[in-house]
Amino acid sequence: MTAAEGGPLPPARDADADLGRSSAHWIDRNTVAWQVEPSPSLRYHLAFSGEGDIAYADGDLTGDTRVIRLTPGALTDAQKARWPHLAAHTALTVDPRDAGLAGEALRGQVVAVERDASGALLTATGVQIPGVLDDLYARAAGAELGPSWGGEPTLSVWAPTARGVELALYRDASGAGRTIHEMRRDDETGVWSVRGLPSWKERYYTFLVTVYSPAAGRVVTNEVTDPYSLSLAADSVRSQLVDLSDRSLWPGGWSSLVKPEAVPQGRASIYELHVRDFSASDASVPEDLRGTYAAFATDSDGMKELRGLAEDGLTHVHLLPVSDMATVPERRAGRTEPRCDLASMPADSERQQACIARTAAKDSFNWGYDPLHYTVPEGSYARDPDGSGRIREFRSMVAGLNAAGLRVVMDVVYNHTHASGQDPASVLDRVVPGYYHRLLGDGTVATSTCCANTAPEHMMMGKLVVDSVVTWAREYKVDGFRFDLMGHHPKANMLAVRRALDELTLAEDGVDGASIILYGEGWNFGEVAGGARFEQATQLNMAGSGIATFSDRLRDAVRGGNPFDADPRVQGFGSGLAGAPNGSAANGTAEQQRIRLLDYQDLIKVGLTGNLRDYIFTASDGRQVRGSEVSYNGSPAGYAAAPGEVVTYVDAHDNETLFDALAYKLPQATSMADRVRMQSLSLATVVLAQGIAFVHAGSERLRSKSLDRNSYDSGDWFNRLLWDCSRGNGFGAGLPPEAGNADRWVYARPLLADPALKPDCAAIGAARARYGELLRIRSSSPAFALGSLAEVQSRLTFPTSGIGEIPGVVTMHLDASGIDPHWKSITVVFNATPETQSQTMAALEGARAKLHPVQAAGGDDVVKRSAFDPGTGTLSVPARTVAVFTVAAG
């Protein structure tokens, strides 16, 4: 209508067209899921542009577009099961006439469009594409990616949405001498590859990926490292082409490396250690080797301690993340360390943490949960971060630990990346934008893990996880893997990892894959919680899988409260709830404390069985219950099907160390001798339990982080691991960093200022000796490693549990007949009270029970006061003591 015909045209109606969001989901080649309400008058299609120039202006879309027509329908039951979070969405089916356009469309910008019968635009949104990529390029699951060698090198990268990929080859790590090489695309797999020359060996490279980026809103050419990198230049700026089977990358003796004897997963005793912590403060390590892989190949004080722990019965060292991370400058010259005299500052001062905060972003320390490349050793731990030296040094570390009698576990972080989108520290998302990360309903990247969540439920992210783990196992002879935030992985992904490892053999791969242990954090939270997107690898779901999860049940019962308490003084079984009140109102009335203590004791009993779901015992209220019927904050306490499926612990790198937790929770006037006893009692609930026993490095020697609850970026100062007891245990190093701790400073100040809370060498030595004794007791009998529910049910009992049980005392009896040549039975009494306690057991009446020979010959004079009356079968155990009694076989 013109003005002459009756007035001006009405203004164009604004459509709902936010192309910065992606609310439609192309879940397979035939189906788009979208939350729309179709009617006969509405029309749907996908608009796509290879130029990436679709935009919204003046009420409609602009750009050089083509379309794929869509017809409204319904999701099938199979589709709803595969995509449960989309079950309420409308299914829009691809018109068969346009089915052949999918591959072309995906190599550009794709927009879902809704129009009315007149053709007017109503709605337009970006499209999430992982599902259709998995469908169209299913054969890529079998592709070999990254560098491969067959006399000459081949480089391959999966980039199905790219319009072009080229190889940039560099003469050296500095980026000099760049040449460009064409890569060819395999249309069935979406893999681009190039075959090179033998002379390319140890050259550096990147990929030039021309692709539509939703984050940029246009087609870009990204120069990006290889997601399957095996070696890198310093600071991860370029990948390096290496052959991990090349003997030049083997340290001496690598081909004949002798592993410590493998143990079943349920017998593992694990020591959680950070590579830098291990030696950064160890004056017995040459200065240039401190904080490096090479420190594990020395005869340092730290290595002597590790050898001693192995002799006591420790089986594994768990290394916090050692794959390439994003946040520590890899060249020493690029780092800035604190320049303050930290040791001269008052024990309760704010000045230490303020000084460390100024350099935290550029210093040498980070836990490493900020992955950049998953299958390359971190360069800041190498003496020379440029190139393959880090490979040899990592292997030397493994060899050094194996020679000390310890197998090696890697902490792996596949659940997130440090960055996404077009960020320079983003790798995966600049190769296949919108694929490797888990997207929320509007297309934004989920960040519930802390950072950019990955999506192992997508085929190629799941493949990357499996391929990476297998590489570490086969090429670096790693003996176990701890999965960070494993509950964000599908259970199917973890089972695929297990199957892939089980296929590795000594004959073919030089590795016994079946002996490799697997465990992880089975927490249930975030956008995947409750199975919202898939069956997760969470605590309850992993029962029967043979893969273990950390149990917070015994942890909280022993420590008291939980890590998120506003008042950190909530007490538990091992921290004073049994007769040593600290006066905090958070603990409740005396009666509430008694009830809570008995509830905690039931949680501890379940924990001592290996957190078994179906173990039956008498609870403190007299009921016969299964482990799953004991409540932990409304969830089942027991959830494992076998003891080897649980990791039992009372401290780890997260939250305060055990010593620091006890500093908050025990009455401040508690003597250091009694603090040592409560530390040892708490650790005993871990070491003498069925299943995996896990301890944070240094807890056996009262390690403190000066009450820091989250020391991931707190520098060397708060993370010190001091092998020389004359330097203390780290307590009183100043108020912990304000970020994450400021709300607890009011509780921390008086504690840090109290010199009585700083242990001397006698206290540290006593704690270390007690832990060693516990390890020797654990490893002395197969009764502490019963492998099944049936064995635990028939051999492990709590004979004094029930209506009359004493608050603060747990007694565990193990029938060792027929499995232990030395002992008929073993009885453990955990007395957390401040008084001597007696426990009468009919099964011991007339027996000749004696204190375990390890304790009888040990240095703890208090436990030697334990007694047994054969006439009544009564055991007597001193205050704050764990006593182990044995009855000889025969």
Side-chain angles (χ1 to χ4, degrees), residues 173-229:
S174 72
R178 185 171 98 158
T179 56
I180 303 299
H181 301 265
E182 180 184 355
M183 300 184 73
R184 301 183 67 130
R185 185 181 195 271
D186 181 280
D187 290 337
E188 289 192 346
T189 63
V191 173
W192 299 74
S193 59
V194 59
R195 180 174 294 178
L197 302 171
S199 61
W200 287 12
K201 184 178 177 181
E202 299 209 346
R203 298 275 293 275
Y204 293 83
Y205 69 96
T206 57
F207 297 123
L208 303 176
V209 181
T210 300
V211 65
Y212 176 76
S213 166
R218 58 188 174 83
V219 174
V220 296
T221 297
N222 289 321
E223 182 167 12
V224 60
T225 47
D226 189 346
Y228 274 70
S229 292

Side-chain angles (χ1 to χ4, degrees), residues 204 225 229 231-234 236 238-240 324 373 376 385-387 390:
Y204 293 83
T225 47
S229 292
S231 185
L232 294 160
S236 313
R238 277 169 282 281
S239 304
Q240 187 188 31
D324 182 50
H373 296 89
V376 184
D386 265 327
R390 63 176 79 188

